[in-house]
Amino acid sequence: MGMKCAQLHVGFTFSFPCIQHQLDEGILVSWTKGFKATDVEGQDVVTLLKDAVKRHGELNLEIVVLLNDTVGTMMNCAYENSNCEIGLIVGTGEHGR
């Protein structure tokens, strides 16, 4: 692929509730929307992703930001149109109870 040696800066969209103290850190509060993976709640999902990528050994990724899908959608729109005011995701699952 020609990208093995290149460092790629990545924005990581993660659509589950996290406690975030830094741009590149997110502690998973709980799984929602029917998802479940053991030993992930209470862990930093960015670190878990970095470790998994490192174990695979094919890419050199630097996760520079963790963000919610709605925020990512709004940022993408705002990049193209500075008048963007809303990010909207219409999909399955729930974000509130």
PDB file of all heavy atoms in Angstrom, residues 34-69:
ATOM      1  N   GLY A  34     -27.175  -1.989  21.905  1.00  0.00           N
ATOM      2  CA  GLY A  34     -27.069  -3.444  21.750  1.00  0.00           C
ATOM      3  C   GLY A  34     -25.654  -3.968  21.593  1.00  0.00           C
ATOM      4  O   GLY A  34     -25.457  -5.163  21.412  1.00  0.00           O
ATOM      5  N   PHE A  35     -24.659  -3.098  21.640  1.00  0.00           N
ATOM      6  CA  PHE A  35     -23.269  -3.539  21.524  1.00  0.00           C
ATOM      7  C   PHE A  35     -22.755  -3.997  22.883  1.00  0.00           C
ATOM      8  O   PHE A  35     -23.158  -3.488  23.917  1.00  0.00           O
ATOM      9  CB  PHE A  35     -22.373  -2.411  21.005  1.00  0.00           C
ATOM     10  CG  PHE A  35     -22.539  -2.132  19.550  1.00  0.00           C
ATOM     11  CD1 PHE A  35     -23.562  -1.314  19.097  1.00  0.00           C
ATOM     12  CD2 PHE A  35     -21.680  -2.692  18.621  1.00  0.00           C
ATOM     13  CE1 PHE A  35     -23.731  -1.055  17.750  1.00  0.00           C
ATOM     14  CE2 PHE A  35     -21.832  -2.443  17.271  1.00  0.00           C
ATOM     15  CZ  PHE A  35     -22.863  -1.624  16.837  1.00  0.00           C
ATOM     16  N   LYS A  36     -21.827  -4.935  22.860  1.00  0.00           N
ATOM     17  CA  LYS A  36     -21.219  -5.416  24.102  1.00  0.00           C
ATOM     18  C   LYS A  36     -19.887  -6.065  23.766  1.00  0.00           C
ATOM     19  O   LYS A  36     -19.807  -6.945  22.918  1.00  0.00           O
ATOM     20  CB  LYS A  36     -22.145  -6.433  24.773  1.00  0.00           C
ATOM     21  CG  LYS A  36     -21.799  -6.746  26.199  1.00  0.00           C
ATOM     22  CD  LYS A  36     -22.110  -5.566  27.083  1.00  0.00           C
ATOM     23  CE  LYS A  36     -21.922  -5.933  28.538  1.00  0.00           C
ATOM     24  NZ  LYS A  36     -22.030  -4.768  29.372  1.00  0.00           N
ATOM     25  N   ALA A  37     -18.844  -5.614  24.392  1.00  0.00           N
ATOM     26  CA  ALA A  37     -17.530  -6.248  24.307  1.00  0.00           C
ATOM     27  C   ALA A  37     -16.965  -6.255  25.719  1.00  0.00           C
ATOM     28  O   ALA A  37     -17.003  -5.239  26.408  1.00  0.00           O
ATOM     29  CB  ALA A  37     -16.604  -5.493  23.353  1.00  0.00           C
ATOM     30  N   THR A  38     -16.488  -7.380  26.147  1.00  0.00           N
ATOM     31  CA  THR A  38     -16.022  -7.510  27.522  1.00  0.00           C
ATOM     32  C   THR A  38     -14.734  -6.721  27.760  1.00  0.00           C
ATOM     33  O   THR A  38     -13.921  -6.528  26.854  1.00  0.00           O
ATOM     34  CB  THR A  38     -15.780  -8.985  27.887  1.00  0.00           C
ATOM     35  OG1 THR A  38     -14.840  -9.543  26.961  1.00  0.00           O
ATOM     36  CG2 THR A  38     -17.073  -9.778  27.820  1.00  0.00           C
ATOM     37  N   ASP A  39     -14.577  -6.248  28.979  1.00  0.00           N
ATOM     38  CA  ASP A  39     -13.372  -5.570  29.453  1.00  0.00           C
ATOM     39  C   ASP A  39     -13.047  -4.277  28.716  1.00  0.00           C
ATOM     40  O   ASP A  39     -11.879  -3.895  28.620  1.00  0.00           O
ATOM     41  CB  ASP A  39     -12.162  -6.516  29.403  1.00  0.00           C
ATOM     42  CG  ASP A  39     -12.359  -7.766  30.249  1.00  0.00           C
ATOM     43  OD1 ASP A  39     -12.987  -7.642  31.315  1.00  0.00           O
ATOM     44  OD2 ASP A  39     -11.894  -8.840  29.840  1.00  0.00           O
ATOM     45  N   VAL A  40     -14.056  -3.602  28.184  1.00  0.00           N
ATOM     46  CA  VAL A  40     -13.827  -2.327  27.504  1.00  0.00           C
ATOM     47  C   VAL A  40     -14.384  -1.163  28.314  1.00  0.00           C
ATOM     48  O   VAL A  40     -13.765  -0.097  28.355  1.00  0.00           O
ATOM     49  CB  VAL A  40     -14.427  -2.336  26.080  1.00  0.00           C
ATOM     50  CG1 VAL A  40     -14.197  -1.005  25.383  1.00  0.00           C
ATOM     51  CG2 VAL A  40     -13.851  -3.473  25.257  1.00  0.00           C
ATOM     52  N   GLU A  41     -15.523  -1.357  28.953  1.00  0.00           N
ATOM     53  CA  GLU A  41     -16.086  -0.294  29.777  1.00  0.00           C
ATOM     54  C   GLU A  41     -15.065   0.103  30.840  1.00  0.00           C
ATOM     55  O   GLU A  41     -14.418  -0.739  31.457  1.00  0.00           O
ATOM     56  CB  GLU A  41     -17.394  -0.748  30.418  1.00  0.00           C
ATOM     57  CG  GLU A  41     -18.492  -0.946  29.400  1.00  0.00           C
ATOM     58  CD  GLU A  41     -19.794  -1.437  29.996  1.00  0.00           C
ATOM     59  OE1 GLU A  41     -19.820  -1.889  31.168  1.00  0.00           O
ATOM     60  OE2 GLU A  41     -20.792  -1.371  29.287  1.00  0.00           O
ATOM     61  N   GLY A  42     -14.887   1.411  31.018  1.00  0.00           N
ATOM     62  CA  GLY A  42     -13.906   1.918  31.964  1.00  0.00           C
ATOM     63  C   GLY A  42     -12.502   2.036  31.394  1.00  0.00           C
ATOM     64  O   GLY A  42     -11.589   2.494  32.074  1.00  0.00           O
ATOM     65  N   GLN A  43     -12.331   1.658  30.135  1.00  0.00           N
ATOM     66  CA  GLN A  43     -11.024   1.719  29.478  1.00  0.00           C
ATOM     67  C   GLN A  43     -10.976   2.880  28.489  1.00  0.00           C
ATOM     68  O   GLN A  43     -12.003   3.318  27.964  1.00  0.00           O
ATOM     69  CB  GLN A  43     -10.742   0.411  28.724  1.00  0.00           C
ATOM     70  CG  GLN A  43     -10.748  -0.819  29.593  1.00  0.00           C
ATOM     71  CD  GLN A  43      -9.594  -0.824  30.573  1.00  0.00           C
ATOM     72  OE1 GLN A  43      -8.473  -0.494  30.230  1.00  0.00           O
ATOM     73  NE2 GLN A  43      -9.892  -1.177  31.817  1.00  0.00           N
ATOM     74  N   ASP A  44      -9.778   3.345  28.184  1.00  0.00           N
ATOM     75  CA  ASP A  44      -9.570   4.386  27.176  1.00  0.00           C
ATOM     76  C   ASP A  44      -9.636   3.730  25.798  1.00  0.00           C
ATOM     77  O   ASP A  44      -8.753   2.949  25.432  1.00  0.00           O
ATOM     78  CB  ASP A  44      -8.214   5.069  27.394  1.00  0.00           C
ATOM     79  CG  ASP A  44      -7.890   6.107  26.339  1.00  0.00           C
ATOM     80  OD1 ASP A  44      -8.788   6.522  25.584  1.00  0.00           O
ATOM     81  OD2 ASP A  44      -6.716   6.503  26.267  1.00  0.00           O
ATOM     82  N   VAL A  45     -10.664   4.059  25.029  1.00  0.00           N
ATOM     83  CA  VAL A  45     -10.858   3.414  23.724  1.00  0.00           C
ATOM     84  C   VAL A  45      -9.792   3.823  22.710  1.00  0.00           C
ATOM     85  O   VAL A  45      -9.491   3.062  21.794  1.00  0.00           O
ATOM     86  CB  VAL A  45     -12.276   3.666  23.174  1.00  0.00           C
ATOM     87  CG1 VAL A  45     -13.326   3.018  24.075  1.00  0.00           C
ATOM     88  CG2 VAL A  45     -12.572   5.150  22.983  1.00  0.00           C
ATOM     89  N   VAL A  46      -9.204   5.004  22.875  1.00  0.00           N
ATOM     90  CA  VAL A  46      -8.118   5.420  21.978  1.00  0.00           C
ATOM     91  C   VAL A  46      -6.895   4.530  22.199  1.00  0.00           C
ATOM     92  O   VAL A  46      -6.283   4.045  21.245  1.00  0.00           O
ATOM     93  CB  VAL A  46      -7.776   6.913  22.170  1.00  0.00           C
ATOM     94  CG1 VAL A  46      -6.568   7.298  21.332  1.00  0.00           C
ATOM     95  CG2 VAL A  46      -8.974   7.784  21.811  1.00  0.00           C
ATOM     96  N   THR A  47      -6.545   4.294  23.447  1.00  0.00           N
ATOM     97  CA  THR A  47      -5.415   3.410  23.756  1.00  0.00           C
ATOM     98  C   THR A  47      -5.686   1.997  23.222  1.00  0.00           C
ATOM     99  O   THR A  47      -4.787   1.364  22.662  1.00  0.00           O
ATOM    100  CB  THR A  47      -5.159   3.370  25.271  1.00  0.00           C
ATOM    101  OG1 THR A  47      -4.795   4.686  25.700  1.00  0.00           O
ATOM    102  CG2 THR A  47      -4.051   2.403  25.627  1.00  0.00           C
ATOM    103  N   LEU A  48      -6.910   1.514  23.397  1.00  0.00           N
ATOM    104  CA  LEU A  48      -7.252   0.177  22.885  1.00  0.00           C
ATOM    105  C   LEU A  48      -7.081   0.102  21.369  1.00  0.00           C
ATOM    106  O   LEU A  48      -6.559  -0.883  20.849  1.00  0.00           O
ATOM    107  CB  LEU A  48      -8.683  -0.200  23.289  1.00  0.00           C
ATOM    108  CG  LEU A  48      -8.925  -0.381  24.785  1.00  0.00           C
ATOM    109  CD1 LEU A  48     -10.413  -0.596  25.057  1.00  0.00           C
ATOM    110  CD2 LEU A  48      -8.100  -1.535  25.330  1.00  0.00           C
ATOM    111  N   LEU A  49      -7.522   1.155  20.660  1.00  0.00           N
ATOM    112  CA  LEU A  49      -7.357   1.181  19.204  1.00  0.00           C
ATOM    113  C   LEU A  49      -5.880   1.234  18.819  1.00  0.00           C
ATOM    114  O   LEU A  49      -5.433   0.492  17.945  1.00  0.00           O
ATOM    115  CB  LEU A  49      -8.107   2.364  18.599  1.00  0.00           C
ATOM    116  CG  LEU A  49      -7.952   2.539  17.089  1.00  0.00           C
ATOM    117  CD1 LEU A  49      -8.467   1.318  16.321  1.00  0.00           C
ATOM    118  CD2 LEU A  49      -8.664   3.802  16.626  1.00  0.00           C
ATOM    119  N   LYS A  50      -5.117   2.104  19.481  1.00  0.00           N
ATOM    120  CA  LYS A  50      -3.681   2.209  19.185  1.00  0.00           C
ATOM    121  C   LYS A  50      -2.978   0.872  19.399  1.00  0.00           C
ATOM    122  O   LYS A  50      -2.152   0.452  18.578  1.00  0.00           O
ATOM    123  CB  LYS A  50      -3.016   3.266  20.073  1.00  0.00           C
ATOM    124  CG  LYS A  50      -3.338   4.685  19.709  1.00  0.00           C
ATOM    125  CD  LYS A  50      -2.649   5.628  20.700  1.00  0.00           C
ATOM    126  CE  LYS A  50      -2.918   7.076  20.403  1.00  0.00           C
ATOM    127  NZ  LYS A  50      -2.267   7.959  21.388  1.00  0.00           N
ATOM    128  N   ASP A  51      -3.296   0.196  20.501  1.00  0.00           N
ATOM    129  CA  ASP A  51      -2.681  -1.105  20.791  1.00  0.00           C
ATOM    130  C   ASP A  51      -3.037  -2.141  19.731  1.00  0.00           C
ATOM    131  O   ASP A  51      -2.181  -2.917  19.300  1.00  0.00           O
ATOM    132  CB  ASP A  51      -3.095  -1.601  22.176  1.00  0.00           C
ATOM    133  CG  ASP A  51      -2.513  -0.767  23.310  1.00  0.00           C
ATOM    134  OD1 ASP A  51      -1.607   0.054  23.052  1.00  0.00           O
ATOM    135  OD2 ASP A  51      -2.989  -0.938  24.451  1.00  0.00           O
ATOM    136  N   ALA A  52      -4.296  -2.152  19.298  1.00  0.00           N
ATOM    137  CA  ALA A  52      -4.737  -3.112  18.283  1.00  0.00           C
ATOM    138  C   ALA A  52      -4.035  -2.857  16.946  1.00  0.00           C
ATOM    139  O   ALA A  52      -3.587  -3.795  16.284  1.00  0.00           O
ATOM    140  CB  ALA A  52      -6.252  -3.046  18.111  1.00  0.00           C
ATOM    141  N   VAL A  53      -3.918  -1.593  16.567  1.00  0.00           N
ATOM    142  CA  VAL A  53      -3.239  -1.244  15.309  1.00  0.00           C
ATOM    143  C   VAL A  53      -1.765  -1.626  15.392  1.00  0.00           C
ATOM    144  O   VAL A  53      -1.192  -2.164  14.443  1.00  0.00           O
ATOM    145  CB  VAL A  53      -3.425   0.253  14.987  1.00  0.00           C
ATOM    146  CG1 VAL A  53      -2.521   0.690  13.849  1.00  0.00           C
ATOM    147  CG2 VAL A  53      -4.876   0.550  14.656  1.00  0.00           C
ATOM    148  N   LYS A  54      -1.150  -1.362  16.537  1.00  0.00           N
ATOM    149  CA  LYS A  54       0.267  -1.690  16.727  1.00  0.00           C
ATOM    150  C   LYS A  54       0.504  -3.201  16.621  1.00  0.00           C
ATOM    151  O   LYS A  54       1.469  -3.651  16.012  1.00  0.00           O
ATOM    152  CB  LYS A  54       0.752  -1.180  18.080  1.00  0.00           C
ATOM    153  CG  LYS A  54       2.258  -1.259  18.257  1.00  0.00           C
ATOM    154  CD  LYS A  54       2.686  -0.710  19.606  1.00  0.00           C
ATOM    155  CE  LYS A  54       2.512   0.789  19.614  1.00  0.00           C
ATOM    156  NZ  LYS A  54       3.000   1.420  20.858  1.00  0.00           N
ATOM    157  N   ARG A  55      -0.406  -3.989  17.213  1.00  0.00           N
ATOM    158  CA  ARG A  55      -0.281  -5.453  17.133  1.00  0.00           C
ATOM    159  C   ARG A  55      -0.365  -5.936  15.692  1.00  0.00           C
ATOM    160  O   ARG A  55       0.312  -6.870  15.301  1.00  0.00           O
ATOM    161  CB  ARG A  55      -1.383  -6.137  17.959  1.00  0.00           C
ATOM    162  CG  ARG A  55      -1.122  -6.166  19.435  1.00  0.00           C
ATOM    163  CD  ARG A  55      -2.071  -7.107  20.160  1.00  0.00           C
ATOM    164  NE  ARG A  55      -3.464  -6.848  19.916  1.00  0.00           N
ATOM    165  CZ  ARG A  55      -4.229  -5.980  20.596  1.00  0.00           C
ATOM    166  NH1 ARG A  55      -3.691  -5.279  21.584  1.00  0.00           N
ATOM    167  NH2 ARG A  55      -5.500  -5.822  20.306  1.00  0.00           N
ATOM    168  N   HIS A  56      -1.184  -5.279  14.892  1.00  0.00           N
ATOM    169  CA  HIS A  56      -1.332  -5.663  13.486  1.00  0.00           C
ATOM    170  C   HIS A  56      -0.074  -5.307  12.705  1.00  0.00           C
ATOM    171  O   HIS A  56       0.323  -6.024  11.786  1.00  0.00           O
ATOM    172  CB  HIS A  56      -2.567  -4.982  12.882  1.00  0.00           C
ATOM    173  CG  HIS A  56      -2.987  -5.557  11.586  1.00  0.00           C
ATOM    174  ND1 HIS A  56      -2.447  -5.149  10.391  1.00  0.00           N
ATOM    175  CD2 HIS A  56      -3.876  -6.518  11.292  1.00  0.00           C
ATOM    176  CE1 HIS A  56      -2.995  -5.830   9.408  1.00  0.00           C
ATOM    177  NE2 HIS A  56      -3.872  -6.671   9.933  1.00  0.00           N
ATOM    178  N   GLY A  57       0.550  -4.184  13.048  1.00  0.00           N
ATOM    179  CA  GLY A  57       1.846  -3.805  12.497  1.00  0.00           C
ATOM    180  C   GLY A  57       1.866  -3.279  11.078  1.00  0.00           C
ATOM    181  O   GLY A  57       2.935  -3.136  10.496  1.00  0.00           O
ATOM    182  N   GLU A  58       0.723  -2.948  10.519  1.00  0.00           N
ATOM    183  CA  GLU A  58       0.705  -2.499   9.121  1.00  0.00           C
ATOM    184  C   GLU A  58       0.678  -0.983   8.946  1.00  0.00           C
ATOM    185  O   GLU A  58       1.083  -0.482   7.914  1.00  0.00           O
ATOM    186  CB  GLU A  58      -0.512  -3.097   8.394  1.00  0.00           C
ATOM    187  CG  GLU A  58      -0.409  -4.591   8.194  1.00  0.00           C
ATOM    188  CD  GLU A  58       0.751  -4.987   7.276  1.00  0.00           C
ATOM    189  OE1 GLU A  58       0.962  -4.328   6.249  1.00  0.00           O
ATOM    190  OE2 GLU A  58       1.445  -5.957   7.618  1.00  0.00           O
ATOM    191  N   LEU A  59       0.160  -0.265   9.921  1.00  0.00           N
ATOM    192  CA  LEU A  59      -0.001   1.178   9.777  1.00  0.00           C
ATOM    193  C   LEU A  59       0.622   1.911  10.956  1.00  0.00           C
ATOM    194  O   LEU A  59       0.659   1.405  12.070  1.00  0.00           O
ATOM    195  CB  LEU A  59      -1.486   1.545   9.695  1.00  0.00           C
ATOM    196  CG  LEU A  59      -2.247   1.027   8.487  1.00  0.00           C
ATOM    197  CD1 LEU A  59      -3.730   1.313   8.640  1.00  0.00           C
ATOM    198  CD2 LEU A  59      -1.710   1.627   7.201  1.00  0.00           C
ATOM    199  N   ASN A  60       1.070   3.134  10.688  1.00  0.00           N
ATOM    200  CA  ASN A  60       1.599   4.009  11.722  1.00  0.00           C
ATOM    201  C   ASN A  60       0.586   5.137  11.918  1.00  0.00           C
ATOM    202  O   ASN A  60       0.605   6.135  11.211  1.00  0.00           O
ATOM    203  CB  ASN A  60       2.959   4.550  11.290  1.00  0.00           C
ATOM    204  CG  ASN A  60       3.569   5.459  12.333  1.00  0.00           C
ATOM    205  OD1 ASN A  60       3.069   5.582  13.446  1.00  0.00           O
ATOM    206  ND2 ASN A  60       4.643   6.118  11.967  1.00  0.00           N
ATOM    207  N   LEU A  61      -0.341   4.930  12.854  1.00  0.00           N
ATOM    208  CA  LEU A  61      -1.405   5.898  13.079  1.00  0.00           C
ATOM    209  C   LEU A  61      -1.140   6.747  14.308  1.00  0.00           C
ATOM    210  O   LEU A  61      -0.661   6.251  15.321  1.00  0.00           O
ATOM    211  CB  LEU A  61      -2.747   5.181  13.287  1.00  0.00           C
ATOM    212  CG  LEU A  61      -3.239   4.265  12.189  1.00  0.00           C
ATOM    213  CD1 LEU A  61      -4.605   3.706  12.558  1.00  0.00           C
ATOM    214  CD2 LEU A  61      -3.294   4.987  10.859  1.00  0.00           C
ATOM    215  N   GLU A  62      -1.470   8.011  14.202  1.00  0.00           N
ATOM    216  CA  GLU A  62      -1.491   8.882  15.365  1.00  0.00           C
ATOM    217  C   GLU A  62      -2.933   9.365  15.514  1.00  0.00           C
ATOM    218  O   GLU A  62      -3.436  10.121  14.676  1.00  0.00           O
ATOM    219  CB  GLU A  62      -0.558  10.079  15.217  1.00  0.00           C
ATOM    220  CG  GLU A  62      -0.606  10.964  16.446  1.00  0.00           C
ATOM    221  CD  GLU A  62       0.296  12.177  16.359  1.00  0.00           C
ATOM    222  OE1 GLU A  62       1.099  12.272  15.415  1.00  0.00           O
ATOM    223  OE2 GLU A  62       0.182  13.044  17.236  1.00  0.00           O
ATOM    224  N   ILE A  63      -3.608   8.884  16.558  1.00  0.00           N
ATOM    225  CA  ILE A  63      -4.982   9.299  16.816  1.00  0.00           C
ATOM    226  C   ILE A  63      -4.907  10.689  17.443  1.00  0.00           C
ATOM    227  O   ILE A  63      -4.427  10.848  18.561  1.00  0.00           O
ATOM    228  CB  ILE A  63      -5.712   8.325  17.764  1.00  0.00           C
ATOM    229  CG1 ILE A  63      -5.530   6.870  17.330  1.00  0.00           C
ATOM    230  CG2 ILE A  63      -7.188   8.710  17.887  1.00  0.00           C
ATOM    231  CD1 ILE A  63      -6.073   6.522  15.983  1.00  0.00           C
ATOM    232  N   VAL A  64      -5.348  11.701  16.707  1.00  0.00           N
ATOM    233  CA  VAL A  64      -5.214  13.070  17.190  1.00  0.00           C
ATOM    234  C   VAL A  64      -6.471  13.582  17.870  1.00  0.00           C
ATOM    235  O   VAL A  64      -6.411  14.547  18.632  1.00  0.00           O
ATOM    236  CB  VAL A  64      -4.792  14.032  16.055  1.00  0.00           C
ATOM    237  CG1 VAL A  64      -3.398  13.685  15.556  1.00  0.00           C
ATOM    238  CG2 VAL A  64      -5.787  14.024  14.927  1.00  0.00           C
ATOM    239  N   VAL A  65      -7.603  12.935  17.618  1.00  0.00           N
ATOM    240  CA  VAL A  65      -8.844  13.378  18.251  1.00  0.00           C
ATOM    241  C   VAL A  65      -9.853  12.239  18.282  1.00  0.00           C
ATOM    242  O   VAL A  65      -9.927  11.428  17.362  1.00  0.00           O
ATOM    243  CB  VAL A  65      -9.435  14.617  17.530  1.00  0.00           C
ATOM    244  CG1 VAL A  65      -9.879  14.290  16.121  1.00  0.00           C
ATOM    245  CG2 VAL A  65     -10.571  15.238  18.322  1.00  0.00           C
ATOM    246  N   LEU A  66     -10.574  12.167  19.374  1.00  0.00           N
ATOM    247  CA  LEU A  66     -11.713  11.266  19.523  1.00  0.00           C
ATOM    248  C   LEU A  66     -12.959  12.135  19.520  1.00  0.00           C
ATOM    249  O   LEU A  66     -13.028  13.129  20.249  1.00  0.00           O
ATOM    250  CB  LEU A  66     -11.624  10.503  20.850  1.00  0.00           C
ATOM    251  CG  LEU A  66     -12.840   9.653  21.211  1.00  0.00           C
ATOM    252  CD1 LEU A  66     -12.921   8.429  20.315  1.00  0.00           C
ATOM    253  CD2 LEU A  66     -12.782   9.244  22.669  1.00  0.00           C
ATOM    254  N   LEU A  67     -13.927  11.782  18.671  1.00  0.00           N
ATOM    255  CA  LEU A  67     -15.133  12.586  18.640  1.00  0.00           C
ATOM    256  C   LEU A  67     -16.363  11.745  18.375  1.00  0.00           C
ATOM    257  O   LEU A  67     -16.288  10.631  17.853  1.00  0.00           O
ATOM    258  CB  LEU A  67     -15.027  13.724  17.622  1.00  0.00           C
ATOM    259  CG  LEU A  67     -14.899  13.375  16.151  1.00  0.00           C
ATOM    260  CD1 LEU A  67     -15.322  14.575  15.336  1.00  0.00           C
ATOM    261  CD2 LEU A  67     -13.467  13.023  15.811  1.00  0.00           C
ATOM    262  N   ASN A  68     -17.492  12.292  18.757  1.00  0.00           N
ATOM    263  CA  ASN A  68     -18.801  11.699  18.547  1.00  0.00           C
ATOM    264  C   ASN A  68     -19.181  11.841  17.073  1.00  0.00           C
ATOM    265  O   ASN A  68     -18.763  12.783  16.409  1.00  0.00           O
ATOM    266  CB  ASN A  68     -19.781  12.435  19.472  1.00  0.00           C
ATOM    267  CG  ASN A  68     -21.204  12.041  19.254  1.00  0.00           C
ATOM    268  OD1 ASN A  68     -21.837  12.505  18.321  1.00  0.00           O
ATOM    269  ND2 ASN A  68     -21.704  11.199  20.124  1.00  0.00           N
ATOM    270  N   ASP A  69     -20.021  10.935  16.577  1.00  0.00           N
ATOM    271  CA  ASP A  69     -20.395  10.978  15.162  1.00  0.00           C
ATOM    272  C   ASP A  69     -21.118  12.266  14.767  1.00  0.00           C
ATOM    273  O   ASP A  69     -20.889  12.802  13.684  1.00  0.00           O
ATOM    274  CB  ASP A  69     -21.214   9.746  14.769  1.00  0.00           C
ATOM    275  CG  ASP A  69     -22.436   9.512  15.630  1.00  0.00           C
ATOM    276  OD1 ASP A  69     -22.638  10.225  16.632  1.00  0.00           O
ATOM    277  OD2 ASP A  69     -23.193   8.582  15.305  1.00  0.00           O
TER     278      ASP A  69
END
